[in-house]
Amino acid sequence: MDIIHEVYAEWFKKMEEIDLSTGGVSRFIEQAMEVSKTEILKLTAAKIEEIDEILLRKPGFRKNWQVVRKADPRTVETLAGTLNYERRYYRNRKKGEHAYLTDRILGIERYERVESGLGAGLCEAATEQSYAKSSEVLCKGAVSRQTVMRKLRQVREDKLEVKEERKDVKVVHIQADEDHVAMQDGRNSQVKLIAIHEPARTQGKRTYLPERFCMSSYKESTEDFWLSVADEVVGRYGERENLAVYIHGDGAPWIKAGLEWIPNSRFVLDKYHLRKYLTPVTGGKKQHEGYLWAALKADDFSMLSKLVEAMVDGECCTEQTGKNFLNYVKTNREGVRMLFTHEAGGSCAEGLVSHVLSSRLSSRPKGWMDEGLEAMSRLRVYKANGGQIRPEHLMKKAKGFVPGKKKIQAALSRVSDFSPMFTNACHSDRRGTPEYRLFKAISEGGMAI
């Protein structure tokens, strides 16, 4: 189409007019990107209208559909800016149904203002920052924060497949903890998080968790969540007797419930949470802390009780603080024993929750709703596992008749009024353009250059 040729010509001309020497490289790139975005939008609109024209001229692609109106305008926000285009409105003679067939081909839903590519970008950004800031960064605030929130709730991500069963692995760790999140109605909700990984390794000064895979749960029963975790462990490491599993956590009932669902599993008390009970007992005195840790490592509860009693008498802490510490140790006695087992390794559940969930859900004052909290926690985990939110995660399955895309593609690829040949792809009849002079020179054997 002539309009496409004109867009190319205008694009090249504007790019040539940008002066690199005036503002330097940064300014040149900034201006070039702005020009490109503008011309990309024009080109996109022309391509869409090209498809709309093919549908009109090829009745076989749209059997029983007749034109009701032409040149109906449509505005959609994209990563390049605001896209404006026109298309025809059709009616099915047999069923009486009305539709914009071009929109159906493109996967643009009725009343949708945000293109799926921009929508995916907004959702990706919103998992790291506020809805409003995401819109400001990606599209200069053209999309409202409510729209970003709605888009994020629509995301249906792919299930990340397991590459292979790692049957040579003998030990697996499960870090388990929860994030406490403030809700808009005043409630305080809990989002559970677990991370399955192999024994920690060190690379230089960095310690990492090999094959780490996170899972979250909100408003799901404890049994259902652990059943999903058990399925994931079996899918990754097989169902075998020689696989030892250590479940790390603070001793919460939902965490210990995992022992019933994970075969060959042992509970390990998280040292971070144990220290939260231990430190207040000593009044901050490092030497006293050393005595308590020694008693814990020796699994000498009698000695531990005497030490706590002495610290209460010495006014290092209150009697209630001492009781709380002893009750915590007694309730999680087996977990304390496992804490000092070399194979059990260290715990890092608190850090994982902070990194994966808290930094977006609860680190700053916020008020969530149930649907938004479920979606955000699920997508934060999806990204932590290496997933990426893509346009297809936002696109719904097409309803009703959709003209064959392969037929449209074939029509576009043929020599026709709709698609230029490679040799005249940049051809223009406008005599003032560089493209016209170039093709004129070639046609005259190079003598006109």
Side-chain angles (χ1 to χ4, degrees):
M1 295 173 68
D2 289 340
I3 183 64
I4 294 177
H5 301 155
E6 291 175 10
V7 170
Y8 283 131
E10 186 177 0
W11 194 341
F12 297 150
K13 182 180 178 182
K14 288 183 177 180
M15 293 294 285
E16 287 177 351
E17 290 173 351
I18 302 174
D19 188 358
L20 177 61
S21 62
T22 303
V25 174
S26 298
R27 181 59 179 160
F28 175 84
I29 292 175
E30 181 182 342
Q31 290 179 309
M33 288 180 68
E34 287 302 315
V35 167
S36 296
K37 285 181 179 179
T38 301
E39 299 307 319
I40 284 171
L41 290 170
K42 291 181 182 178
L43 181 61
T44 304
K47 290 286 189 181
I48 292 173
E49 290 167 15
E50 185 179 31
I51 291 174
D52 194 64
E53 192 70 19
I54 290 177
L55 280 175
L56 175 68
R57 299 195 184 187
K58 299 286 185 180
F61 292 1
R62 51 175 178 87
K63 292 180 180 179
N64 300 318
W65 291 85
Q66 62 183 12
V67 177
V68 176
R69 293 192 304 271
K70 67 176 182 178
D72 272 10
R74 180 77 189 262
T75 299
V76 180
E77 295 297 334
T78 73
L79 284 167
T82 304
L83 171 65
N84 296 292
Y85 66 93
E86 295 179 344
R87 75 277 196 241
R88 291 174 174 82
Y89 192 48
Y90 288 88
R91 175 183 178 276
N92 190 294
R93 289 192 297 266
K94 290 187 175 180
K95 298 181 180 179
E97 181 185 0
H98 290 74
Y100 291 103
L101 299 184
T102 300
D103 287 352
R104 285 190 177 181
I105 292 173
L106 299 173
I108 301 176
E109 296 178 37
R110 196 177 183 185
Y111 306 121
E112 185 56 73
R113 287 187 56 250
V114 180
E115 183 266 332
S116 57
L118 174 60
L122 288 169
C123 293
E124 187 89 11
T127 60
E128 303 292 339
Q129 56 199 10
S130 70
Y131 299 139
K133 190 172 183 180
S134 300
S135 176
E136 186 62 35
V137 170
L138 265 75
C139 57
K140 298 181 180 179
V143 178
S144 69
R145 61 182 300 276
Q146 288 81 6
T147 300
V148 178
M149 177 181 67
R150 179 174 58 83
K151 282 289 176 186
L152 187 126
R153 295 180 182 184
Q154 290 175 356
V155 174
R156 292 296 176 265
E157 70 277 14
D158 299 326
K159 178 176 173 57
L160 298 174
E161 299 296 332
V162 180
K163 295 178 182 178
E164 60 179 350
E165 280 192 15
R166 298 174 62 81
K167 293 188 175 182
D168 57 324
V169 175
K170 304 298 181 184
V171 176
V172 170
H173 298 272
I174 297 177
Q175 308 286 340
D177 203 354
E178 66 280 331
D179 190 21
H180 298 274
V181 183
M183 308 299 286
Q184 286 187 8
D185 58 7
R187 289 178 294 130
N188 191 288
S189 291
Q190 187 182 88
V191 180
K192 302 181 182 72
L193 177 74
I194 69 98
I196 305 167
H197 65 89
E198 296 169 14
R201 297 177 189 170
T202 302
Q203 189 174 40
K205 294 183 179 181
R206 174 177 168 266
T207 300
Y208 67 98
L209 308 179
E211 301 297 322
R212 190 192 74 179
F213 183 79
C214 297
M215 299 175 69
S216 68
S217 174
Y218 179 63
K219 284 204 165 184
E220 182 183 24
S221 70
T222 299
E223 291 78 8
D224 288 342
F225 184 41
W226 276 113
L227 183 59
S228 299
V229 175
D231 289 341
E232 200 66 47
V233 172
V234 171
R236 291 172 178 275
Y237 301 100
E239 192 169 3
R240 47 199 175 88
E241 293 294 328
N242 65 340
L243 179 67
V245 181
Y246 294 96
I247 301 176
H248 303 253
D250 60 6
W254 80 266
I255 296 176
K256 288 184 175 179
L259 299 172
E260 302 174 13
W261 295 94
I262 310 296
N264 305 322
S265 60
R266 305 287 294 274
F267 173 68
V268 183
L269 186 64
D270 188 340
K271 195 172 185 178
Y272 171 84
H273 291 92
L274 178 58
R275 185 180 283 111
K276 286 176 67 175
Y277 282 87
L278 183 147
T279 301
V281 175
T282 65
K285 297 179 181 179
K286 294 294 181 183
Q287 186 177 11
H288 289 179
E289 284 189 21
Y291 295 148
L292 294 179
W293 283 115
L296 288 169
K297 187 174 183 179
D299 193 24
D300 192 338
F301 192 80
S302 176
M303 176 59 70
L304 187 70
S305 299
K306 291 177 182 178
L307 288 169
V308 171
E309 184 179 353
M311 291 177 193
V312 171
D313 292 342
E315 298 185 347
C316 292
C317 67
T318 65
E319 184 177 356
Q320 187 60 49
T321 300
K323 283 183 177 179
N324 290 342
F325 170 63
L326 290 174
N327 286 337
Y328 188 66
V329 172
K330 189 174 182 181
T331 303
N332 298 287
R333 190 76 178 273
E334 183 60 29
V336 174
R337 292 191 184 104
M338 295 305 301
L339 176 62
F340 297 99
T341 302
H342 175 71
E343 190 182 51
S347 300
C348 57
E350 187 73 19
L352 283 168
V353 165
S354 177
H355 173 68
V356 178
L357 297 180
S358 301
S359 60
R360 182 66 177 91
L361 300 181
S362 61
S363 62
R364 295 178 294 277
K366 299 179 181 71
W368 293 91
M369 296 182 68
D370 289 318
E371 189 178 357
L373 179 57
E374 187 280 329
M376 183 62 73
S377 58
R378 173 169 48 82
L379 293 177
R380 289 277 300 181
V381 166
Y382 178 68
K383 286 189 64 182
N385 290 333
Q388 183 178 9
I389 301 173
R390 299 191 298 274
E392 55 264 33
H393 296 155
L394 284 161
M395 296 176 69
K396 297 180 180 178
K397 291 184 178 179
K399 295 180 180 179
F401 170 77
V402 179
K405 290 187 179 182
K406 290 184 178 179
K407 292 181 179 180
I408 299 291
Q409 290 168 354
L412 284 169
S413 65
R414 287 196 296 268
V415 180
S416 66
D417 294 337
F418 314 113
S419 182
M421 286 289 287
F422 174 78
T423 53
N424 69 335
C426 296
H427 175 67
S428 174
D429 292 329
R430 295 170 63 186
R431 293 177 178 272
T433 63
E435 293 76 23
Y436 177 84
R437 293 194 297 272
L438 174 61
F439 277 89
K440 186 67 174 175
I442 293 173
S443 66
E444 296 180 2
M447 298 303 295
I449 296 179

